[in-house]
Amino acid sequence: MKDARKLVRPLVRKLQPYVPGEQPKIKGLIKLNTNENPYPPSPRVLRAVKAAVDGRLRLYPNPAAQALREKLAKFHGCKPENIIVGNGSDELLALATRAFVETRSAERGVRNDSRAVVQYFTPSYSLYSVLAAIHGARANAVPLESNFGIPAVAELRRAKKWNFRAALTFITTPNAPSGRGYSTAELEALCRVQKGVMILDEAYVDFAEENALKLALKYPHVLVSRTFSKAYSLCFQRVGYFIGDNELIAALDKVRDSYNVNGLGQVAALATLDELAYYRKNFQRIVATREQVARELTVLGFRVLPSQTNFLFVRPPAFPANGWLQKLRERKILVRWFNYPETKDFLRITIGSDDEMNALLKAAREILFRQRIGTMNGGARLRRALISNG
Ligand SMILES: *Cc1c(COP(=O)(O)O)cnc(C)c1O
């Protein structure tokens, strides 16, 4: 065998994989690029995880994350059968495409077949299109309004791009990367007319004013996705979950690996649910910092979109956004830039600790100050050139 590439399915050969935010290990780097929580897990959570690290690591964990599902069910006012836990919510989003969506090859020439359609708004979480591609499904990407609002149902009908029968629809709510929040009322209006499965991806909902959990408990085709990663400072442990109708949950349960949630992750998530007061304080701190930084960036000339998340989506002044990305990086501050037409003028900045955000603001002031000096000098040179030529 000369060329091992030929052993790979053509679909996989051509696949553009998901590109996660960088995780560089540079000393002193201020990392505001992947929406991690700046505050550590509660000391009790750390103690619980440490106490679980001993000879028992040789054993398999509970295959159904039973204790965690029972505790989550109590917390959310539903039954354990309404909950599935995953290796991060990312795993569950992938399982949903496998369980609910046909592949294109299964369409067999049926025109306007919706059974192979994965649908989402753009911009939103960029994993969805990759999941559709991996599965061999059809992606239907429908633009949000220019202010990142969800178009009203009447508008979606009029524009004829939205597929009301799509097998699976992902909605990031609050939206990423814009940070915009959506009311439960507008989400419900869409849920009511949508025929296929809808996943409301609430990765950032703890920083928002509203959540749409009740829609998952009311409509059999609606699932809500949550994660311990962002709000509960547990990215490293990889624990997320879906809430919804027991038939949909049972379908997902059939296609998952038997031990999909690692044991230490289950321990950490269980301990987290006993420490909600600690985390609520963190949400409040992050929201307060977010609002403060939004005001200060606005003063510096940034256009700051309203945020219901732990990040800000901002349109910077003076240089293109990717120029800012580089200039901040030179000052050891890492933020995120998405190179799509509707996002390329913006930076996404995770809300860090107060010290980290002060460093960001200081860097932004320096960058702007240098730019002004630069244009002044440039202006003087230009004037001299004009005078000597004139
Ligand atoms: C971070 C994120 C996820 C993934 O979270 P994990 O539980 O860490 O896999 C899902 N959806 C959105 C919108 C996110 O930003």
Side-chain angles (χ1 to χ4, degrees), residues 89-101 118-121 124-125 128 131 162 166-173 187 190-191 194 196-203 212 216 221-226 241-243 248-249 252:
S89 53
D90 280 353
E91 184 199 22
L92 298 172
L93 300 173
L95 291 182
T97 57
R98 270 199 250 162
F100 305 133
V101 186
V118 170
Q119 175 168 253
Y120 46 87
F121 288 109
S124 68
Y125 188 28
Y128 308 145
L131 295 178
W162 187 258
L168 180 58
T169 298
F170 290 114
I171 298 188
T172 316
T173 173
L187 293 169
L190 188 52
C191 289
Q194 194 65 29
V197 175
M198 291 188 84
I199 294 179
L200 306 178
D201 183 347
E202 292 195 327
H221 66 304
V222 177
L223 294 164
V224 158
S225 174
R226 296 276 179 94
Y241 60 99
F242 278 7
I243 309 158
L248 295 190
I249 297 293
L252 293 166

Side-chain angles (χ1 to χ4, degrees), residues 23-327:
Q23 302 293 349
K25 290 278 167 287
I26 299 169
K27 239 189 120 199
L29 184 78
I30 297 182
K31 215 175 151 296
L32 306 176
N33 68 328
T34 50
N35 298 341
E36 289 145 320
N37 198 306
Y39 304 114
S42 143
R44 290 215 183 99
V45 171
L46 296 179
R47 275 204 295 279
V49 174
K50 283 178 191 159
V53 178
D54 58 25
R56 287 170 295 169
L57 290 187
R58 72 192 175 80
L59 300 172
Y60 279 110
N62 184 289
Q66 191 61 27
L68 180 54
R69 284 171 46 242
E70 283 170 11
K71 205 158 189 162
L72 284 168
K74 266 205 196 106
F75 178 47
H76 290 305
C78 61
K79 301 213 176 81
E81 305 87 80
N82 298 120
I83 293 179
I84 180 168
V85 184
N87 181 37
S89 53
D90 280 353
E91 184 199 22
L92 298 172
L93 300 173
L95 291 182
T97 57
R98 270 199 250 162
F100 305 133
V101 186
E102 280 299 351
T103 60
R104 269 185 306 209
S105 54
E107 287 178 329
R108 294 178 205 287
V110 180
R111 279 189 68 212
N112 301 322
D113 197 346
S114 300
R115 288 173 299 174
V117 173
V118 170
Q119 175 168 253
Y120 46 87
F121 288 109
T122 51
S124 68
Y125 188 28
S126 53
L127 179 67
Y128 308 145
S129 61
V130 179
L131 295 178
I134 291 171
H135 189 61
R138 270 181 212 292
N140 190 36
V142 177
L144 288 169
E145 292 172 338
S146 59
N147 59 9
F148 305 104
I150 294 180
V153 170
E155 176 54 28
L156 290 173
R157 284 200 204 285
R158 200 194 56 75
K160 292 197 162 70
K161 182 119 197 342
W162 187 258
N163 184 333
F164 289 91
R165 300 184 165 275
L168 180 58
T169 298
F170 290 114
I171 298 188
T172 316
T173 173
N175 180 252
S178 74
R180 181 172 170 136
Y182 302 123
S183 72
T184 305
E186 67 184 313
L187 293 169
E188 181 160 21
L190 188 52
C191 289
R192 238 188 254 126
V193 294
Q194 194 65 29
K195 300 282 182 259
V197 175
M198 291 188 84
I199 294 179
L200 306 178
D201 183 347
E202 292 195 327
Y204 300 101
V205 82
D206 295 285
F207 306 103
E209 282 158 14
E210 270 191 79
N211 71 71
L213 182 72
K214 69 171 196 188
L215 302 182
L217 301 176
K218 177 171 175 186
Y219 295 96
H221 66 304
V222 177
L223 294 164
V224 158
S225 174
R226 296 276 179 94
T227 174
F228 283 89
S229 293
K230 288 20 183 283
Y232 300 92
S233 306
L234 276 185
C235 289
F236 199 77
Q237 293 275 24
R238 314 297 307 122
V239 188
Y241 60 99
F242 278 7
I243 309 158
D245 183 87
N246 59 327
E247 293 291 342
L248 295 190
I249 297 293
L252 293 166
D253 206 48
K254 275 188 186 171
V255 298
R256 71 176 173 85
D257 289 340
S258 335
Y259 301 104
N260 64 324
V261 189
N262 80 82
L264 295 177
Q266 294 185 37
V267 167
L270 272 166
T272 296
L273 293 174
D274 288 331
E275 289 294 288
L276 294 176
Y278 169 92
Y279 292 96
R280 288 194 183 117
K281 253 184 229 135
N282 284 350
F283 307 157
Q284 284 164 9
R285 272 162 95 180
I286 288 167
V287 167
T289 306
R290 179 185 79 199
E291 296 308 305
Q292 177 67 23
V293 173
R295 280 191 291 274
E296 302 208 26
L297 287 174
T298 305
V299 169
L300 293 179
F302 285 71
R303 184 178 153 220
V304 182
L305 300 191
S307 170
Q308 296 266 305
T309 61
N310 67 336
F311 56 83
L312 288 171
F313 203 50
V314 304
R315 192 183 166 133
F319 306 103
N322 61 343
W324 274 92
L325 180 77
Q326 288 316 320
K327 287 175 198 298

